[in-house]
């Protein structure tokens, strides 16, 4: 765990208390207006979390990064997949999402070859402004029945390569490891 300042906590899922996990889930349910299911929450667990609190101690922003494997150009790349980025309604567009992303990017840069995420149209501006880019090539997954193309994910999957990092073939496909629920 590390505290960047009084209101920001960075911790692994295993370090979060049951109360903190309930707070995170409540924030996500509210921020996504009920469109954040149990599988979505499961996808956000098992990695590093950023929790931002206001002066009164209330959780106002969250994001996590979990490890996934992405096959690209014949290699399985250790990828930091960003999940569950949310800011409490009424506090958006004040830099809290950027604060969360700065911490998540720090983790990605130190622990992964590549960062990836799936963004809504509403959230895309945050990621683009931070140097994330829409993946121009194909998107797929390594399903239990073999590789499958996911055309519905093309145009909403973003990648970020840490400075000095790997070179990716923009015409190539990114095949993500399989998981229940939304694959991306």
């Amino acid at each position: 765990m590390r505290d960047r300042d009084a209101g920001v906590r960075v911790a692994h899922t295993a370090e979060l208390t049951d109360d903190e996990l309930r707070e995170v889930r409540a924030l996500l349910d509210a921020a996504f207006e009920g469109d954040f299911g149990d599988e979505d929450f499961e996808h956000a667990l098992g990695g590093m979390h950023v929790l931002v609190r206001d002066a009164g101690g209330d959780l106002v922003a969250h994001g996590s990064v979990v490890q996934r494997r992405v096959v690209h150009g014949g290699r399985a790349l250790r990828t930091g997949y960003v999940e569950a980025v949310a800011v409490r309604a009424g506090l958006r567009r004040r830099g809290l999402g950027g604060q969360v992303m700065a911490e998540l990017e720090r983790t990605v840069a130190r622990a992964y070859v590549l960062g990836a995420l799936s963004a809504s149209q509403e959230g895309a501006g945050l990621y683009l402004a931070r140097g994330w880019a829409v993946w121009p090539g194909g998107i797929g997954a390594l399903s239990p029945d073999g590789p499958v193309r996911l055309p519905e994910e093309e145009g909403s999957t973003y990648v970020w390569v840490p400075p000095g990092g790997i070179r990716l073939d923009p015409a190539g496909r990114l095949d993500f490891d399989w998981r229940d629920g939304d694959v991306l």
Side-chain angles (χ1 to χ4, degrees):
M1 176 188 79
R2 92 180 168 256
D3 292 320
R4 301 303 291 179
D5 60 48
V8 179
R9 179 170 184 222
V10 179
H12 191 275
T13 300
E15 297 173 305
L16 299 180
T17 67
D18 290 342
D19 286 343
E20 286 174 314
L21 288 170
R22 280 191 288 276
E23 283 181 290
V24 168
R25 179 60 193 257
L27 173 69
L28 295 169
D29 286 340
F32 288 96
E33 300 175 342
D35 191 25
F36 197 86
D38 291 342
E39 288 173 333
D40 298 318
F41 189 59
E42 173 71 22
H43 295 166
L45 303 177
M48 298 300 291
H49 297 258
V50 177
L51 292 85
V52 180
R53 296 184 180 280
D54 65 13
D58 292 327
L59 184 65
V60 295
H62 171 271
S64 65
V65 61
V66 298
Q67 181 171 307
R68 296 195 65 188
R69 290 290 176 173
V70 173
V71 175
H72 177 73
R75 294 181 55 204
L77 305 175
R78 189 179 63 257
T79 301
Y81 199 82
V82 172
E83 293 280 3
V85 174
V87 175
R88 183 175 306 278
L91 297 176
R92 295 178 182 145
R93 310 280 186 250
R94 297 184 187 181
L96 295 170
Q99 197 173 5
V100 168
M101 287 305 297
E103 293 296 334
L104 296 177
E105 289 161 0
R106 203 174 335 295
T107 298
V108 170
R110 294 186 52 90
Y112 301 101
V113 173
L114 170 69
L117 59 84
S118 181
S120 65
Q121 288 184 341
E122 296 83 24
L126 169 65
Y127 309 117
L128 290 169
R130 299 193 59 79
W132 291 70
V134 173
W135 181 250
I139 299 292
L142 303 173
S143 82
D145 298 323
V148 294
R149 185 170 166 237
L150 300 174
E152 67 278 7
E153 299 297 342
E154 294 170 2
S156 64
T157 301
Y158 290 69
V159 297
W160 181 75
V161 177
I166 189 170
R167 284 207 167 120
L168 302 172
D169 175 4
R173 188 161 111 173
L174 298 178
D175 282 306
F176 290 80
D177 54 359
W178 191 256
R179 63 185 185 180
D180 292 335
D182 292 333
V183 177
L184 299 186

